[in-house]
């Protein structure tokens, strides 16, 4: 058996690199405002992805340049803790 992804190995990421986050929430306008607040003047794109089957949740793809692991995880942390964001992937 060949193991494609050995969970004991850390994925090697070369920085700086473009990183994409999936940002999910209940209100489209509030999601956009939350991303704008977290990103500030930092260059990024935010593209609508989809709405859940029942229309309760909306997802967006946020793309930006991250400079190192701390930068990448800090953006994730700030997005995740925002009241108008339900989930970040």
């Amino acid at each position: 058996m060949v193991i494609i992804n050995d969970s004991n190995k850390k994925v090697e990421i070369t920085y700086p690199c473009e990183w994409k986050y999936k940002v999910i929430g209940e209100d489209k306008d509030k999601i956009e405002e939350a991303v704008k607040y977290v990103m500030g003047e930092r260059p990024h794109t935010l593209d609508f992805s989809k709405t859940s089957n029942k229309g309760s949740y909306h997802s967006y793809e946020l793309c930006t340049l991250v400079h190192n692991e701390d930068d990448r995880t800090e953006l994730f942390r700030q997005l995740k803790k925002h009241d108008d964001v339900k989930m970040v992937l």
Side-chain angles (χ1 to χ4, degrees):
M1 174 191 265
V2 175
I3 299 176
I4 295 173
N5 184 7
D6 184 356
S7 62
N8 294 327
K9 293 183 181 179
K10 189 174 181 179
V11 175
E12 194 74 30
I13 302 173
T14 304
Y15 295 99
C17 67
E18 185 177 87
W19 198 260
K20 294 180 182 180
Y21 301 90
K22 185 69 74 170
V23 183
I24 302 167
E26 295 175 346
D27 184 292
K28 288 182 180 182
D29 292 332
K30 288 183 178 181
I31 296 168
E32 292 175 10
E33 290 172 18
V35 169
K36 192 174 191 177
Y37 175 79
V38 170
M39 298 303 289
E41 296 296 317
R42 184 180 189 137
H44 67 279
T45 59
L46 183 66
D47 297 313
F48 176 76
S49 185
K50 68 181 252 181
T51 299
S52 66
N53 290 338
K54 293 183 181 179
S56 302
Y57 296 98
H58 310 283
S59 63
Y60 285 79
E61 184 176 84
L62 168 62
C63 185
T64 191
L65 182 70
V66 293
H67 301 283
N68 53 49
E69 185 173 353
D70 289 341
D71 187 29
R72 179 177 58 83
T73 56
E74 179 61 18
L75 283 173
F76 178 84
R77 188 188 67 74
Q78 287 183 28
L79 289 164
K80 188 175 172 182
K81 78 174 190 175
H82 197 284
D83 290 340
D84 294 319
V85 174
K86 297 299 175 194
M87 186 182 300
V88 181
L89 305 172

